[in-house]
Amino acid sequence: MMSASLTIKNSLIYIKNEDYDPEQEQAEFLSFPIDQAMQLTHFTVLDDEDQIEAVKWINLATNPTETAPFIGFEFEEPNSYALFQQNIEKMIQVDEEGLQHPESREGNLKEMQSKLNATSQKTSYSKINIKQVQPAVENAEEEKEIGKILDFKRAVIEHLRNLFTPDQIIYTSPGDLYFHDPNKELPVLMERGIGFLIVKHGPFQYTVDLVKDGEVIMRNLLTKNLSHHIDVNAHSVSWIEVLDVNLTRYWTMILLDDMTHLEELFLVAQFESSRQISVDTDLTQEDKAWIKGEESSEVENTESSEGESEKVEIEYADEIKMEEDTSEDILDSATSYCNPWVFTAKQNKIGLYRLDEDNLHLSQNIPIVSTYEDGFNASRILPYKQDSRLLMLSQKDPSIIYNMDLNRGEIVEQYNVKGNASIADIAPHQKLSPMTVDNLFYALSKNGLFTIDPRVSGHDKSVESKIYSSRPNLTCMASTEQGYVAAGSATGEIRMYKQVGQNSKTNMPGFGDPITSIDITKDGSWILATTDTYLIAIPANSHGENGFVKPLGKHKRKPRKLALKPADIAKFNLTDIKFTPARFNLGENSKENAIITSTGNYVVIWSFSAIKKGRLESYKIKPLTESVIKNEFKFNEENAWITHPNSLHYQKNHFKFHE
């Protein structure tokens, strides 16, 4: 570092050393040719509360093995930089710092690579000061030690040998660390030339470590709770560091090494952390490939290329909200396929909400007449027989399915399954059965699936069943218009059945986290699974076959893992993500093109059309004033019912499809 002044003259940048001392064998002047190849970049440095404008460029005038390949200059006055910018932009373009794409430095990659021993004050574990900014270059002596990426990796292993063995470090890359300050438009460069590592500490325990000076300066457990985003094209990995319940930091690193398999490493680590089993030794080759997002070369892409350039915009219109009914909490809700109604389960009653033009109102509260002296609370409701009945579950007796006649307000029948098993979920016999008088429906316990027919005699109404002795811990189910069934589990596995009573045709391993809800497109071509922190969209067709009908085996298509971007998590301060059951939009004669879910008091709608084409970030978030417990699209519409703990509102949406 030296005190200096800068002048532009004759297509050269002249820097005068104001500390020039001839006895120290110093240069009084340095000159640098102005050329687009110098990659002149503007950035800011934070010094206490002051923001200092600065520039840096590649030294095209010297041999990088002898002197610094990068030169940096800080302007003491903002006006000085403004004058510099006016003059320099007449000759070349000045890039804003932002997140530099590594290709902008590709020409110098062989000559300059960040090294482990960066010149900076040591930072305590996981306590990077957000005001600490390191210059690109400290002095020429240290730049002499810069090597290639391989040298960097060797240096990492050498300097961290007191912490890790070489086989513990499963990924390492040099890179630059940026902090996303919510009060600034551009990210702030925090550290240059530090190490980004994925470390395996023991069975099923991984961390993401940032290292400098032989020390770990930040560590994040690589579990399902680490929200991250990897952009291979931009050579970037972003994540959210959770410091406290209401305090997070948003970071990005630009990595110089190959990132082709980085997402795969994240998925494997998060799966093993959740399931506590090894992907390599405890899973089949097919399941291993599915988790890693690999597809057999024989798998054919059944998605049509038609409309490949199609883009989808989601617009939220003003919501229609009813008056709050604070008398009773809403425990569950279900939309009608036959009428503009929503049923809600409350204490000792069923609330019927109606939409008349633009007026949403509580039409009536139907008291539940039961034999229970202390009342009846439904934890799960399902419209049945053209809205004349409701099928209900209750925590009061989980082994019973209750049939309520809505016209009489009475529980008229009660059903059990084999062994009086506790019921975890119920689903219509076919996707659109609630619009018909179909008697059959499905029930699910932790260890089995059942087809229920109320017309058979006795309390056990199951006419078909598949009961497991292995205890798969099933949690949820859904059906298609053909009557195929998908069931999720607490281990993350998803089973696909052509018919209840038979073995599943295809099993998907999931990503290791409990499936809390499941939905299927009408035609059975896609499955949508919900976990607390992400969704999974799974293609069910491959190689001309459907996984409900025939085992897909090695022809399983890779899943789409849908998660909120770290940028949005930071923007909305989403420190505790817990998605409500995700649902496709549904219509009698239309195809699904959207997915709705919520977390806290935020509604999220994904474009399913974009997801099928691999654009997983095509979603929009809408903040609401209160938390959401359930959301479903209104039948045959793009609009949605949003259920809150004490109220309901009707959210108008509009999807735009264009080239």
Side-chain angles (χ1 to χ4, degrees), residues 441-454:
F441 63 92
Y442 294 123
L444 182 86
S445 72
K446 288 184 177 181
N447 300 323
L449 300 89
F450 309 89
T451 302
I452 307 298
D453 186 347

Side-chain angles (χ1 to χ4, degrees), residues 34-213:
I34 299 174
D35 186 274
Q36 195 65 44
M38 72 190 299
Q39 297 175 27
L40 184 66
T41 304
H42 168 234
F43 65 104
T44 58
V45 175
L46 298 179
D47 182 10
D48 292 332
E49 299 300 323
D50 298 323
Q51 178 172 301
I52 300 173
E53 306 298 331
V55 292
K56 60 187 177 186
W57 63 89
I58 296 172
N59 183 0
L60 302 177
T62 62
N63 184 343
T65 62
E66 296 177 358
T67 59
F70 267 85
I71 300 296
F73 188 89
E74 297 178 2
F75 295 88
E76 292 184 354
E77 301 293 336
N79 292 339
S80 299
Y81 169 71
L83 183 61
F84 168 83
Q85 185 182 33
Q86 289 176 6
N87 286 278
I88 200 73
E89 286 187 341
K90 297 175 183 177
M91 307 178 201
I92 59 172
Q93 180 180 355
V94 179
D95 293 328
E96 292 298 319
E97 178 60 48
L99 298 180
Q100 280 189 293
H101 194 289
E103 288 182 2
S104 68
R105 304 198 295 264
E106 188 174 354
N108 298 277
L109 190 59
K110 294 181 179 179
E111 290 79 21
M112 55 82 55
Q113 290 295 351
S114 303
K115 63 186 184 63
L116 182 62
N117 287 332
T119 58
S120 60
Q121 183 180 357
K122 292 184 179 180
T123 309
S124 61
Y125 166 80
S126 195
K127 294 292 184 182
I128 291 181
N129 186 336
I130 63 174
K131 294 184 179 180
Q132 175 189 352
V133 180
Q134 301 303 322
V137 177
E138 282 286 356
N139 57 59
E141 285 300 317
E142 292 180 340
E143 291 301 326
K144 291 180 182 179
E145 303 174 17
I146 294 179
K148 298 179 181 179
I149 290 180
L150 183 58
D151 297 325
F152 177 90
K153 294 181 178 181
R154 290 170 180 158
V156 167
I157 294 173
E158 174 67 21
H159 285 278
L160 297 178
R161 61 186 178 184
N162 62 320
L163 298 177
F164 315 122
T165 60
D167 60 339
Q168 285 184 272
I169 302 173
I170 61 176
Y171 180 86
T172 179
S173 172
D176 302 335
L177 177 66
Y178 294 81
F179 173 68
H180 297 263
D181 188 330
N183 299 315
K184 296 185 181 300
E185 183 176 352
L186 294 175
V188 179
L189 176 63
M190 303 298 294
E191 298 279 359
R192 182 175 290 284
I194 64 173
F196 177 91
L197 281 69
I198 297 180
V199 180
K200 185 173 184 179
H201 297 271
F204 325 128
Q205 185 178 16
Y206 299 80
T207 61
V208 174
D209 290 358
L210 305 187
V211 299
K212 184 179 72 173
D213 289 348

